[in-house]
Amino acid sequence: MILLSIIFLIGDLQITTRIYRFEECYVELWYQIPVRNIISLQVANPNEREFSYKLLLTAVGEKDTTVRKGIKHFVSDSGDYVYDYFPLWLYPDTFSYQLFISALLEKATITGGFKVFSDTLLFYASDLVLGLKKIKGESFSRRGIKFLPLILPQFSNYDTLFSYIEIYGLVPDSLFYTVHYQIKDSLNQIVYECNLRRPKLEYTQFDTISIPLYSLNAADYTLSVNIYEPALNTTVTRECNFRVKEVLPDILCEKFAWEIKYLVSKEEYERFSKMDYNQQVKYLKKFWAKRNYKEFERRLLQADEIFSVSHLKGRDTPQGKFYILKGPPDEIKKYGIEKEVLGDLLRPGTDVGRSQELWIYEREGIQVLFRDTDSDGVYELVGVTKIGTQEFQENLKDREELWKHLYKCD
């Protein structure tokens, strides 16, 4: 059984982990982090990024604790995720773990647990590992086989599923063992089946198979592997769940098509996040049918270029979010004591103040005040009022009405 722990969040940093158990109490704790959550501080090479980690591992029975910590460096153009794992040599016991990840202001903690069994069986197998042989970015090697284990096994129907399992305790009394691979859908119907006769080469060896998924519909499936040792008349079974997603047509293949959190209210995005995959696809198709995706992408990239600071992407600053939502204002008024010349897409080289900015949207009939409250280059949203309002007062009723105006219902 493969144990999965997923997403206890502090901030926006998302981590997914999975445990794989192999022979002689050897365990691998894998984790993945979206590259977009990790910001670079390297001016010379913005693709070079890093995060710090700390793993706290506790043996429940022995009440024994160990800690591992360090810094992981990687290149951000190697894929959408950064992958890594901890090799762990343990003894039979039940273990709990806490994994702490920190990337500047983004932090997260994920917890989980697993059990290491005593190797008392003569014939047994490792956990079943699913992955891809060809994937952009890093690949890892097990017994000379290079592939990337998928921490969340998810494929498109254009992918080829790669399965890896290790077998221990093969007896030389016979020349072969047999392996039965089977895929079942959520209704327990068999959609793939394969029987293989493998030669015994060593006491311990591995078995792999590549399965094209072009014939499978978008759904959840289970791959089971039955390994039969005729010398012992014994069978060991391992299984792993995986998902096949349809290759999305047109707009949903675009890079930022799923990033609708910048265009909807917090409550609406939470509702979207709780939908299942098929519901999300239907929602997004309807959503983008009523909007200009290219304009959204242009604003998002401009927000990154204009408003990014060392510790935060422009799209995630208050000004960046508003810019993506409503576009550039018709007029900007600057207020403040300190002066500097800013030359970029939004501020065309004008001598302006740094402490406050008043954005005026004549077409919307609103004005928006931002203030660099902490003097860190991030302008917080102070208030949104109707044009002509003399003072910015925190009138909750007015702000709620204006906010509803910004996120117009479809």
Side-chain angles (χ1 to χ4, degrees):
M1 181 172 136
I2 301 171
L3 302 179
L4 176 67
S5 303
I6 185 168
I7 309 176
F8 170 75
L9 291 176
I10 303 174
D12 263 345
L13 194 60
Q14 298 184 8
I15 313 173
T16 308
T17 65
R18 187 180 286 270
I19 290 289
Y20 292 106
R21 292 169 298 195
F22 296 92
E23 65 178 328
E24 298 175 356
C25 299
Y26 173 66
V27 173
E28 292 180 355
L29 169 57
W30 284 77
Y31 64 96
Q32 71 177 30
I33 309 173
V35 170
R36 60 181 170 79
N37 286 146
I38 305 173
I39 299 170
S40 174
L41 288 178
Q42 300 291 331
V43 177
N45 187 356
N47 287 331
E48 292 184 4
R49 308 188 186 191
E50 68 178 41
F51 61 89
S52 61
Y53 63 83
K54 182 173 78 170
L55 174 66
L56 179 64
L57 184 67
T58 302
V60 177
E62 296 293 330
K63 297 182 180 180
D64 186 17
T65 299
T66 184
V67 176
R68 292 190 186 182
K69 57 184 178 179
I71 297 176
K72 169 80 172 181
H73 299 268
F74 68 98
V75 178
S76 62
D77 60 0
S78 61
D80 294 330
Y81 294 91
V82 55
Y83 301 88
D84 200 12
Y85 72 99
F86 298 96
L88 305 171
W89 285 267
L90 305 171
Y91 46 82
D93 203 337
T94 298
F95 293 85
S96 64
Y97 66 86
Q98 287 184 294
L99 176 60
F100 306 91
I101 300 292
S102 177
L104 293 177
L105 296 182
E106 303 293 341
K107 298 180 181 179
T109 302
I110 190 167
T111 62
F114 58 93
K115 189 170 184 178
V116 176
F117 298 98
S118 177
D119 298 337
T120 57
L121 298 175
L122 294 176
F123 176 62
Y124 61 104
S126 71
D127 286 327
L128 184 61
V129 186
L130 303 188
L132 293 169
K133 290 297 294 291
K134 295 181 179 180
I135 189 169
K136 183 180 179 181
E138 296 177 276
S139 63
F140 296 83
S141 179
R142 286 286 301 170
R143 297 184 181 269
I145 303 296
K146 289 186 177 182
F147 69 103
L148 181 65
L150 295 182
I151 298 171
L152 284 175
Q154 185 169 275
F155 305 86
S156 79
N157 49 16
Y158 282 98
D159 287 329
T160 296
L161 178 151
F162 180 78
S163 168
Y164 176 95
I165 191 170
E166 294 185 0
I167 308 166
Y168 318 112
L170 292 168
V171 179
D173 289 0
S174 60
L175 297 178
F176 299 93
Y177 67 91
T178 60
V179 188
H180 178 220
Y181 287 93
Q182 187 179 82
I183 296 177
K184 290 184 178 181
D185 61 18
S186 57
L187 299 177
N188 210 34
Q189 296 177 329
I190 298 174
V191 297
Y192 174 88
E193 202 163 17
C194 179
N195 286 291
L196 299 168
R197 193 165 179 251
R198 305 290 204 190
K200 293 181 181 178
L201 303 176
E202 298 179 18
Y203 175 82
T204 298
Q205 59 191 72
F206 60 86
D207 203 274
T208 65
I209 192 171
S210 296
I211 304 174
L213 302 175
Y214 62 85
S215 62
L216 299 187
N217 297 321
D220 293 322
Y221 298 90
T222 300
L223 172 67
S224 62
V225 181
N226 294 287
I227 305 166
Y228 176 65
E229 165 58 285
L232 300 172
N233 192 26
T234 303
T235 299
V236 61
T237 300
R238 296 289 183 268
E239 64 180 29
C240 185
N241 298 325
F242 68 95
R243 171 174 290 182
V244 174
K245 289 189 174 183
E246 65 176 328
V247 177
L248 299 175
D250 304 327
I251 188 65
L252 298 190
C253 293
E254 297 288 352
K255 185 174 182 179
F256 303 110
W258 295 76
E259 298 293 328
I260 64 170
K261 62 183 178 181
Y262 298 102
L263 298 178
V264 299
S265 65
K266 181 180 179 180
E267 293 74 19
E268 179 67 7
Y269 188 71
E270 288 178 354
R271 188 174 75 86
F272 169 77
S273 300
K274 293 176 182 177
M275 296 177 182
D276 63 31
Y277 174 72
N278 291 328
Q279 289 174 326
Q280 287 182 336
V281 169
K282 292 179 182 178
Y283 181 98
L284 289 173
K285 288 180 179 179
K286 181 180 178 181
F287 182 89
W288 288 116
K290 299 179 181 180
R291 291 168 176 82
N292 186 335
Y293 169 81
K294 292 300 181 183
E295 175 64 16
F296 163 70
E297 181 178 306
R298 185 180 68 82
R299 291 180 185 179
L300 187 146
L301 295 175
Q302 284 185 348
D304 282 350
E305 183 175 351
I306 297 169
F307 304 111
S308 289
V309 292
S310 62
H311 60 282
L312 195 62
K313 281 190 175 182
R315 73 185 71 171
D316 294 319
T317 64
Q319 283 184 308
K321 291 177 181 178
F322 210 95
Y323 187 92
I324 294 169
L325 179 64
K326 305 306 294 184
D330 299 305
E331 182 183 357
I332 299 176
K333 295 181 178 180
K334 317 282 186 173
Y335 306 93
I337 300 174
E338 184 180 350
K339 301 284 185 177
E340 66 178 34
V341 176
L342 299 174
D344 55 35
L345 293 174
L346 191 59
R347 309 177 182 93
T350 308
D351 190 26
V352 298
R354 283 288 292 171
S355 59
Q356 294 187 133
E357 293 188 359
L358 180 63
W359 291 12
I360 300 174
Y361 290 84
E362 294 181 359
R363 60 189 180 274
E364 299 284 348
I366 60 172
Q367 51 191 12
V368 189
L369 182 65
F370 296 95
R371 180 179 297 132
D372 189 0
T373 306
D374 299 323
S375 298
D376 59 355
V378 178
Y379 283 70
E380 302 295 336
L381 192 153
V382 177
V384 182
T385 65
K386 298 176 182 177
I387 290 177
T389 302
Q390 296 301 314
E391 296 181 358
F392 282 88
Q393 299 176 348
E394 292 192 352
N395 187 308
L396 293 179
K397 183 177 180 181
D398 286 349
R399 293 186 69 180
E400 287 177 2
E401 289 179 355
L402 286 164
W403 211 248
K404 289 178 182 177
H405 170 74
L406 295 175
Y407 294 105
K408 294 177 182 178
C409 296
D410 293 333

